[in-house]
Amino acid sequence: MSTSIRWLDDIRWNADGLTPVVVQDYADGRVLMVAWMNRDALARTVDGGQAVYWSRSRQCLWRKGESSGHIQMVKELRLDCDGDALLLKVEQQGGIACHTGRASCFFYRLQNGEWSAVDPVLKDPSAIYA
Amino acid sequence: MSTSIRWLDDIRWNADGLTPVVVQDYADGRVLMVAWMNRDALARTVDGGQAVYWSRSRQCLWRKGESSGHIQMVKELRLDCDGDALLLKVEQQGGIACHTGRASCFFYRLQNGEWSAVDPVLKDPSAIYA
């Protein structure tokens, strides 16, 4: 798929051949989501410039935004010191990363001993996935 | 350990009883590291206000900064939409999260088909772990 694969070999994939990916908004630094990639997903992400993940629940490649239109354009890719986590900085199309219609998937904040949804729904999911 | 544990039960721990934790600098939004917590580590983190992780390599609790002094004070804790990833916003003591003496563990950037260390070493590790 790619002429050079050494950078893919440098990653310490887990027993399932996956690595967690922190997805961060390139412009404002907001952490949008955590997803997972296998080798193929990462190669496709870098080759195409749009985020492709591995869905652990569906056991298939998942092109982010394929149904919602909320694709993620790759701006920068980083690897951590021990090679087992990725940081993907993206331009989030539509400003919505979460399937609930929120900017970020991390919208539950722990306060007073419970998880409270503290971020607004920017678009109704039924309108996103119509 | 805690009178209320429902918020701990709300988390979808993986088969090993762990969840990945994205650690973000509260002030500037920089992603510092990805670590892992089990239930006990998370309870201790919230109770004590300082980050405690689970070391998968050493199979023990790991109080971040116990040897380096680079402890992480908890400012905010978030959970994602499907309950299987945490976002911990911290005040990073010493401004160094990485054992290499860099601000962030994500200092390798993919450029020209290879991982390049692009962030400066702020303090020599031999001085940190003396």
Side-chain angles (χ1 to χ4, degrees), chain A residues 26-130:
Chain A
Y26 185 77
D28 65 12
R30 184 195 289 251
V31 175
L32 300 174
M33 53 191 275
V34 167
W36 293 78
M37 286 185 184
N38 62 8
R39 190 180 171 96
D40 190 17
L42 181 54
R44 289 171 188 257
T45 295
V46 170
D47 284 348
Q50 297 182 17
V52 178
Y53 303 110
W54 176 256
S55 169
R56 294 176 303 166
S57 56
R58 290 180 285 144
Q59 291 284 305
C60 62
L61 288 177
W62 158 50
R63 184 171 294 276
K64 172 68 179 165
E66 61 192 356
S67 54
S68 65
H70 298 152
I71 64 174
Q72 295 174 333
M73 307 300 297
V74 175
K75 303 297 276 187
E76 189 176 311
L77 179 64
R78 288 185 175 229
L79 181 66
D80 73 347
C81 54
D82 53 1
D84 64 0
L86 292 166
L87 173 61
L88 184 67
K89 300 189 185 185
V90 302
E91 184 181 297
Q92 175 64 63
Q93 301 298 302
I96 294 174
C98 186
H99 74 288
T100 66
R102 294 177 173 88
S104 162
C105 292
F106 288 98
F107 60 82
Y108 289 115
R109 186 166 63 196
L110 186 66
Q111 45 195 39
N112 302 319
E114 60 182 23
W115 300 107
S116 300
V118 295
D119 296 335
V121 173
L122 302 177
K123 188 172 181 179
D124 191 300
S126 66
I128 297 174
Y129 299 98

Side-chain angles (χ1 to χ4, degrees), chain A residues 13-18:
Chain A
W13 306 96
N14 73 10
D16 295 323
L18 303 176

Side-chain angles (χ1 to χ4, degrees), chain B residues 47-114:
Chain B
D47 284 350
Q50 297 182 18
V52 178
Y53 303 110
W54 176 257
S55 169
R56 294 177 302 166
S57 56
R58 290 179 285 145
Q59 291 284 302
C60 61
L61 288 177
W62 158 52
R63 184 171 293 277
K64 171 68 180 168
E66 61 191 357
S67 53
S68 65
H70 297 151
I71 64 175
Q72 296 173 333
M73 307 303 295
V74 175
K75 303 298 273 186
E76 189 176 310
L77 180 64
R78 289 186 174 226
L79 181 66
D80 73 347
C81 54
D82 53 1
D84 64 0
L86 292 166
L87 173 62
L88 184 66
K89 300 188 185 186
V90 302
E91 183 181 298
Q92 175 64 63
Q93 301 297 302
I96 294 174
C98 187
H99 74 288
T100 65
R102 294 178 174 87
S104 163
C105 292
F106 288 97
F107 60 81
Y108 289 115
R109 186 166 62 196
L110 185 65
Q111 44 194 40
N112 303 319
E114 61 183 21

